[in-house]
Structure formats: structure tokens, C-alpha cells
Amino acid sequence: MNAENNAFRRKLERGAELRAVRGWGGSAHEDAEIEAADAQEREKRRKVDDAARVEYLIRDAMAQGKFDNLKYAGKPIPGLGEHYDPDWWVKGLIQREHLSGIGPPAILLRIEDSELDAKLDLQYTEKQVRDILEDFNKRVIEARRQLQGGPPVITKPRDVGAELERWRERRAAAAPNEPEPRPQAHRSWWQRIWNGSG
């Protein structure tokens, strides 16, 4: 019964198509040609299996030049042959879009830890350095307490006192060596007046 309904529906659709063609001025002869061409195309499709159809479509696209200038033409496809990673698309998005601040806390803290000395060197006061270190240590401890999935947190909190001392040493080493001020020789009153300094 269902097959009969489908066949009837197809006949109705085809009839509507033919009426639409006739409505815009097509003749009965043109309708017959269109119907014959459609019948031939349907017969070809029925005879050709899927693999042959795919092969034909690929050859046709190559002949039209649709595969020219592809991004990885002649190059290995990145990531091919590696182990399967279920989060490959997220990592690819992060890399393509240069997103930061997204990811598991363990990874973000490792990245921040590797860049922390450079961030501290940009600060001007010990209070700024201390605040940054205390905030970093607080986030490391919070990440260790979380029982969420993902990689383990191996980043260690920083010793604030030791880091402040290292910051002072780096700051002193980076400061230009200023010459010691020379003690001024005692000049008499007439030398001071003569030179214009008093």
C-alpha cells in the first residue's frame, strides 16, 4: 500500500512539473523531449551503482579543475596517522582562532607558570609583584582541590618571599649602572658667584 502511495505521489509531482512547463509556453513536443531525457537519466542512475557514480563524479570534478589549488595539495595531511583524540576539533579551533584562556586549569596554569617571570619583570612595585604571586598561588590551590576530569595539576605554588628576592635581583641587574655622584669640592664664595651657581 505504501509503495502504491509513493508511486502515485511521484506521478502527481511529475504532472505538476509538466503543467508548470506548459504554463510558461512549452509545447507538447518539448514536454515529450523533457520526459524522455528525464527517463533516460533515471535509467542511467538506476543502472550505475554508488561506487561507479562516485568515481564518475570525482573524474568529472577533476576535469573541471575543482581540485586545483587545494590547501594541502602535495603535502601530508596534518594529524593523519596520529592516535585518535576525541577533542581534536576543540584543539584545532583553539589553534586556528588563536584563543587563549580556554582549556583545563592544569594546562592554563602550566602556561601561566612558564610566563610568570616575564610578567613579574614588567611590574614596578613589590606590592604589584606580591599581588600577582598571591593570586597565582590561590588559583593553583583551587585547581588542586577541584575533582574535575582532565590532566592533573602539577604546577606548584610559588614562594612569595623567594620570588620577590629574585625579582629584586633581576631588576637590579637590568637597571643601568649609574655613576656615583662626585662630592663637590669646596669652592670659595667668589668662585660660586663667578660661575653663577650659588
Side-chain angles (χ1 to χ4, degrees), residues 5-190:
N5 286 339
N6 288 339
F8 181 69
R9 183 178 298 148
R10 282 193 298 260
K11 286 180 184 179
L12 283 177
E13 290 171 355
R14 185 65 190 145
E17 288 175 6
L18 290 174
R19 279 193 298 279
V21 168
R22 286 186 189 130
W24 62 270
S27 66
H29 179 67
E30 290 173 345
D31 290 345
E33 287 178 0
I34 292 172
E35 181 63 36
D38 285 346
Q40 279 183 332
E41 188 66 29
R42 282 194 301 271
E43 185 64 25
K44 283 181 186 176
R45 287 186 192 145
R46 190 181 61 79
K47 289 180 179 178
V48 177
D49 64 336
D50 290 337
R53 186 177 308 126
V54 168
E55 187 67 31
Y56 167 76
L57 291 173
I58 290 173
R59 276 189 267 118
D60 187 43
M62 288 172 64
Q64 293 176 13
K66 292 183 179 178
F67 294 132
D68 295 345
N69 302 322
L70 291 177
K71 184 175 182 179
Y72 294 111
K75 300 176 189 170
I77 298 173
L80 194 64
E82 295 177 2
H83 69 283
Y84 175 71
D85 184 6
D87 297 328
W88 64 270
W89 62 274
V90 174
K91 292 176 182 175
L93 176 70
I94 291 170
Q95 186 178 17
R96 278 191 314 275
E97 301 297 327
H98 305 290
L99 300 176
S100 61
I102 298 174
I107 304 296
L108 295 176
L109 286 171
R110 275 189 239 167
I111 293 169
E112 187 177 349
D113 186 42
S114 68
E115 299 169 350
L116 192 60
D117 287 342
K119 183 178 180 181
L120 294 177
D121 290 343
L122 297 175
Q123 306 309 313
Y124 296 107
T125 65
E126 287 187 18
K127 182 179 180 343
Q128 291 172 329
V129 174
R130 185 179 301 277
D131 290 344
I132 290 171
L133 288 168
E134 288 172 356
D135 177 59
F136 175 76
N137 288 343
K138 183 177 115 182
R139 287 184 288 118
V140 168
I141 291 168
E142 286 176 10
R144 286 185 174 184
R145 289 183 183 156
Q146 298 295 325
L147 296 177
Q148 299 173 352
V153 178
I154 60 171
T155 306
K156 297 178 182 175
R158 299 261 187 130
D159 181 12
V160 177
E163 291 299 323
L164 277 170
E165 185 61 35
R166 288 180 56 221
W167 175 77
R168 285 186 207 110
E169 290 171 2
R170 288 193 307 264
R171 194 159 177 84
N177 295 331
E178 297 177 6
E180 294 285 330
R182 291 184 296 169
Q184 291 195 357
H186 182 67
R187 297 187 309 180
S188 65
W189 63 271
W190 64 270

